[in-house]
């Protein structure tokens, strides 16, 4: 038994479309034409109604509803044109068009001709309700209905035929215009909201990209600055020991190679996240407090005597990986500055203090060497800014200043995760 039902309900056969879709496409084309050539559209609309008004006059259709079929035909033609031709300015001057039509409407009622073109007054009334402030609707209603009200008073028996029809016509076009206007304003609000959300999304993306760039720049500065300082110290020491102790020079060269490889590995890890796609990015953990000994060993090999002192007992989960990385980088940057600026006779000390509410790190150096070159004060460049940024990420504070007796002092304070900021 055959089944005539469509196996795919709602499926549209190619080449066919719902009537509503066809109407929507037609309306979109008309709106596009209106936006491109508004004067051409106004002339087309006005010409259409002029032709309709003239046809109503020439065929005598106005006599079917006229109270006075003997009204002068030239006057009827003139009134038909006065109701239709001013529609050319209905969008630019709708209130002026309604004012121009008001005396013609009074003459139309007074002569009894009652031409059908008088209903064209509803078009500028619709435009007023659609485009102008709502406080102009009262004046538009008076201009539209006043001639009919005067005719009802001067000519008994015309109230039902004209005044009521004018009132109902004005109410209908006003409600229609309000509906269209509300929908248009709602659509514009949705479009504006979409644009605003798009702008906010772009701004959020830009801020995130800027923050990521700053983070990567901070990491690269710490990695490159520290390792190059260590390599420089090792190279200077190796060059000094080459003549007297070739064995020490070989150890310095080996340490330079080890430090260089570590620096390259860290750079690959930082830059690996920038690759797209990045399946081979190094996923090794970031440095933590457990790596401080390795850091200090490298600094000692570079020729800077440094001592680490720990006060207090670290509680479980004393610091998150991010906090530990911040502490590591601050110590690294402080020792790097010492290697750069404190001189060959300087010593350094790092003190790590655990308290019930936080963690404090102090890094000091004796500053026994020559001062930093002019215009390059100890710790006032990108390094000190990066340390402050790291501290602020975890509601911490960082102090960096020159000691009265010489040398440099850096102190980092970080609250624990469960401590209030």
């Amino acid at each position: 038994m055959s089944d005539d039902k469509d196996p795919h309900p709602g499926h549209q056969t190619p080449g066919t479309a719902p009537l509503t879709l066809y109407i929507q496409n037609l309306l979109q084309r008309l709106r596009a034409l209106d936006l491109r050539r508004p004067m051409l559209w106004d002339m087309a609309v006005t010409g259409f109604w002029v032709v309709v008004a003239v046809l109503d006059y020439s065929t005598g259709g106005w006599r079917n509803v006229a109270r006075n079929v003997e009204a002068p035909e030239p006057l009827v033609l003139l009134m038909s044109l006065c109701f239709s031709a001013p529609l050319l300015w209905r969008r630019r001057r709708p209130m002026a068009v309604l004012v121009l039509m008001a005396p013609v409407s009074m003459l139309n009622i007074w002569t009894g001709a009652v031409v059908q073109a008088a209903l064209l007054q509803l078009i500028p009334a619709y435009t007023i309700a659609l485009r102008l402030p709502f406080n102009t609707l009262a004046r538009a209603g008076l201009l539209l209905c006043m001639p009919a009200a005067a005719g009802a008073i001067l000519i008994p028996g015309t109230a039902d035929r004209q005044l009521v029809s004018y009132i109902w016509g004005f109410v209908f076009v006003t409600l229609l215009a309000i509906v269209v206007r509300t929908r248009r304003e709602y659509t514009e609000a949705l479009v504006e909201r979409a644009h605003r959300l798009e702008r906010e999304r772009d701004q959020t993306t830009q801020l995130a990209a800027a923050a990521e760039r700053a983070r990567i720049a901070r990491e690269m500065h710490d990695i490159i600055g520290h390792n190059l300082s260590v390599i420089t110290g090792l190279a200077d020491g190796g060059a000094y020991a080459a003549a007297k102790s070739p064995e020490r020079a070989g150890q310095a060269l080996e340490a330079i190679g080890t430090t260089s490889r570590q620096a390259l590995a860290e750079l690959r890890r930082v830059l690996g996240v920038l690759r797209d796609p990045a399946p081979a990015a190094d996923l090794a953990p970031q440095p933590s407090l457990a790596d401080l000994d390795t850091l200090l060993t490298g600094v000692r090999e570079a020729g800077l005597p440094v001592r680490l002192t720990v006060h207090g007992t670290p509680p479980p989960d004393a610091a998150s990986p991010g906090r530990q990385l911040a502490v590591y980088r601050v110590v690294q940057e402080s020792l790097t500055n010492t290697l750069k600026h404190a001189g060959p006779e300087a010593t350094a000390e790092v003190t790590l203090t655990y308290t019930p509410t936080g963690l404090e790190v102090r890094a000091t150096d004796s500053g026994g060497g020559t001062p930093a070159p002019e215009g390059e004060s100890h710790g006032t460049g990108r390094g000190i800014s990066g340390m402050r940024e790291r501290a602020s990420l975890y509601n911490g504070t960082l102090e960096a200043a020159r000691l009265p007796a010489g040398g440099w002092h850096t102190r980092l304070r970080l609250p624990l995760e469960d401590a209030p900021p």
Side-chain angles (χ1 to χ4, degrees), residues 185-400:
E185 291 175 351
Y186 177 71
T187 303
E188 292 175 354
L190 290 179
V191 173
E192 175 60 26
R193 180 183 179 185
H195 290 166
R196 186 175 66 253
L197 290 176
E198 185 176 358
R199 290 193 297 269
E200 292 177 356
R201 181 198 63 191
D202 294 340
Q203 291 173 357
T204 302
T205 302
Q206 293 174 1
L207 291 175
E212 185 64 14
R213 285 196 300 269
R215 185 189 69 81
I216 294 174
R218 202 163 49 233
E219 290 290 325
M220 293 185 66
H221 172 272
D222 292 344
I223 294 170
I224 295 175
H226 171 75
N227 287 285
L228 285 181
S229 297
V230 171
I231 290 172
T232 301
L234 290 171
D236 292 341
Y240 177 78
K244 297 182 178 181
S245 177
E247 181 180 353
R248 294 293 302 273
Q251 294 176 354
L253 291 175
E254 183 179 353
I256 289 174
T258 302
T259 304
S260 301
R261 284 190 292 272
Q262 292 175 352
L264 287 175
E266 291 192 49
L267 282 177
R268 288 193 186 101
R269 184 182 65 249
V270 174
L271 298 178
V273 299
L274 301 180
R275 299 190 183 100
D276 187 20
D282 189 1
L283 300 180
Q286 292 276 33
S288 63
L289 295 179
D291 299 305
L292 281 179
D293 289 335
T294 304
L295 173 67
L296 299 183
T297 300
V299 173
R300 293 187 187 105
E301 291 178 353
L304 175 63
V306 57
R307 182 178 62 181
L308 174 63
T309 305
V310 179
H311 296 293
T313 302
D317 300 330
S320 64
R323 283 176 167 80
Q324 294 189 45
L325 176 62
V327 172
Y328 181 92
R329 293 304 188 197
V330 167
V331 173
Q332 183 185 58
E333 179 62 26
S334 300
L335 297 178
T336 300
N337 287 336
T338 301
L339 285 170
K340 287 181 179 178
H341 307 296
E345 303 299 328
T347 60
E349 181 177 359
V350 177
T351 304
L352 195 62
T353 304
Y354 292 98
T355 65
T357 59
L359 173 65
E360 180 177 309
V361 182
R362 292 169 57 96
T364 58
D365 63 66
S366 60
T370 58
E374 185 177 356
E376 187 183 344
S377 60
H378 189 350
T380 58
R382 289 183 178 272
I384 205 70
S385 300
M387 289 192 287
R388 286 202 175 100
E389 290 173 2
R390 290 184 185 278
S392 65
L393 287 175
Y394 302 100
N395 298 318
T397 59
L398 185 127
E399 301 173 4

